[in-house]
Amino acid sequence: MDIKAATEQVELKIGSEVIIISGVKGDNTLYRIMINQSFRGYIQKRADEFYRVDGSSIHDLIFARIANFMMNNV
């Protein structure tokens, strides 16, 4: 079993959603996404763009806001 510990995290509020974005230890391009205390998946930065990792359940509009925030702050 390969477990990656979360590192630094950022709290983002979009409407009524509270989003926690955590870096993943050992991979500086991978971020863990929690929405309202529920794990929703990972996003990854590739070639200066952010992508949802397969299996993520992040809504399209929320993902767009997260990606925009990350592009301006990472």
Side-chain angles (χ1 to χ4, degrees), residues 18-48:
V18 177
I19 301 164
I20 305 294
I21 305 167
S22 306
V24 174
K25 186 175 182 178
D27 189 341
N28 61 352
T29 65
L30 191 63
Y31 300 89
R32 185 173 197 263
I33 305 298
M34 301 278 293
I35 300 175
N36 296 331
Q37 300 180 348
S38 178
F39 174 71
R40 296 300 178 142
Y42 293 95
I43 62 171
Q44 186 171 36
K45 186 174 185 179
R46 290 183 250 147
D48 295 327

Side-chain angles (χ1 to χ4, degrees), residues 12-15 19 60-70:
L12 181 63
K13 183 143 172 66
I14 299 174
I19 301 164
D60 292 341
L61 295 175
I62 297 293
F63 172 72
R65 297 285 300 270
I66 292 170
N68 185 46
F69 171 81
M70 296 294 285

